[in-house]
Amino acid sequence: MARTSPSERRAVVATRRRRPTLGVEAIVEVALRLVDTEGVEAVTMRRVAAEFDTGPASLYAYFPHKEALLSAVLTRVLEEIPVPRGDDWQDLLRRHMHTTRDVFARHRDVARLSFGTVPTGEHFVDIAEALLAGLLAGGVPAQVAAWAMDVGALYVAADAFEGYLQGQMFDDGSGRPPEEVGMEFYAGFADAMRALPPSRYPAITGHVDELVSGDGDDRFGFGVDMFIAGIAAQIPR
Amino acid sequence: MARTSPSERRAVVATRRRRPTLGVEAIVEVALRLVDTEGVEAVTMRRVAAEFDTGPASLYAYFPHKEALLSAVLTRVLEEIPVPRGDDWQDLLRRHMHTTRDVFARHRDVARLSFGTVPTGEHFVDIAEALLAGLLAGGVPAQVAAWAMDVGALYVAADAFEGYLQGQMFDDGSGRPPEEVGMEFYAGFADAMRALPPSRYPAITGHVDELVSGDGDDRFGFGVDMFIAGIAAQIPR
DNA sequence: CCTTCGCTGCGAACAGTGTTCGTTGACGAA
DNA sequence: TTCGTCAACGAACACTGTTCGCAGCGAAGG
């Protein structure tokens, strides 16, 4: 019996602190680190457990299934979103959407986890209150404000997820810088459009530059502004 | 050797047509049927291959990996979207967004496959041309029209995906009708909001009805109209 | 003090996944 | 007839999430 017994190992840990102690928060932190470095699909019960020098079964004392662990990772990330502030409702909304997107972008493809979940928890309620209050104070009708929060959240998450995937598309291939590959891809895309028959595709062939212009940030900023304009159009005067 | 050799089996097939013949289109059709009945995650190389009475290795003669098969399923589905028509650009856009969402909804969670892909192919170009031409004819600036198509497509896909997941949330539990479970869930949600302290959460507690009102269709229709209003606000006059 | 209970921890195994390897057999060209 | 090509595929590999059942411990009960 060369292997140390569990109790011996635990004793060693207590004194030399060779590995982190198991626990809900520690597990979430390890999983989040995996997300940050390799993406959501790299989160594996085995890999997370390996960080604690143990097997996957140990994690099931803290989470009923993997989904619960990933959901905990998401709430942990959403906690990084500050309660929004702003001069007027437009400023408030714009800043909140941009910072939320930034938080998602900091953690690779976590945004994918937000689909199909109804976020709860105190911090999220605080954010919702600040947004709703700001919109109402700006004269936005309550029904418009309520649904706009919904639509806006969906748009931000979708854009963050899409942006990550687009970025991945351009660095899976070789070791070259992703933005260089991206530029090349869009140049080829533009050429393909220009090669279309103008008689059948007058609109596309006539506006290739506009169709391929702007990076992800530009397009997101445009979408946010358009979203705000859509709300503003529904303020009675 | 009781097992029949491949040649014998093929001969039987040729005469009695016991199973469909292997081929790109046939494989896509089988995969799509799996998506329609059980969702994307039910598509397994083994399950698809089983429909042809063979093992997963046989599929790799037609698709380099599973992702390519799923991508083919997506393009097959996108082909169901008609080239958009409409009286004016608002009508054109609104109808196109609704029918696109309907097509996604017909095929469970296919919408998830559309994230991170830049759709190409003749049919898609036709759709883009019709949309762009309609917007330009309505006086929408080219740059606005180009980006709006991008943002709109993302929003439709995200809503379709989210809508599917929300629906799934309410019928995983028991055998009861999903909409009944959903109503119950939102009633509980509303009660939780009403139980919040009004002093700290005046906006939320004061507008619970608006926050929980409307089903998925209502919210999507609202989002589309707001999107159109956002474009309209950028037409120079 | 001894026994029993419940709990964290976890090794082993199960059923399933995508993908690869190496072989088979049929068919058209030489 | 012989050769080369290629679709087809059985078997296996390395991996996944999850469950089972068994240790070992601390607290509770007699």
Side-chain angles (χ1 to χ4, degrees), chain B residues 10 19 22 54 57-58 62:
Chain B
R10 201 164 13 232
R19 59 150 201 205
L22 233 38
T54 182
S58 305
Y62 301 93

Side-chain angles (χ1 to χ4, degrees), chain B residues 137-198:
Chain B
V140 178
Q143 187 62 83
V144 173
W147 285 352
M149 285 170 48
D150 215 46
V151 173
L154 182 61
Y155 174 61
V156 171
D159 183 276
F161 184 34
E162 177 90 1
Y164 171 77
L165 292 177
Q166 295 273 355
Q168 280 301 94
M169 247 182 70
F170 298 140
D171 77 353
D172 264 356
S174 56
R176 286 161 56 213
E179 59 268 9
E180 188 184 310
V181 184
M183 293 289 274
E184 204 166 291
F185 176 82
Y186 280 112
F189 204 65
D191 288 345
M193 281 176 162
R194 268 186 272 267
L196 290 171

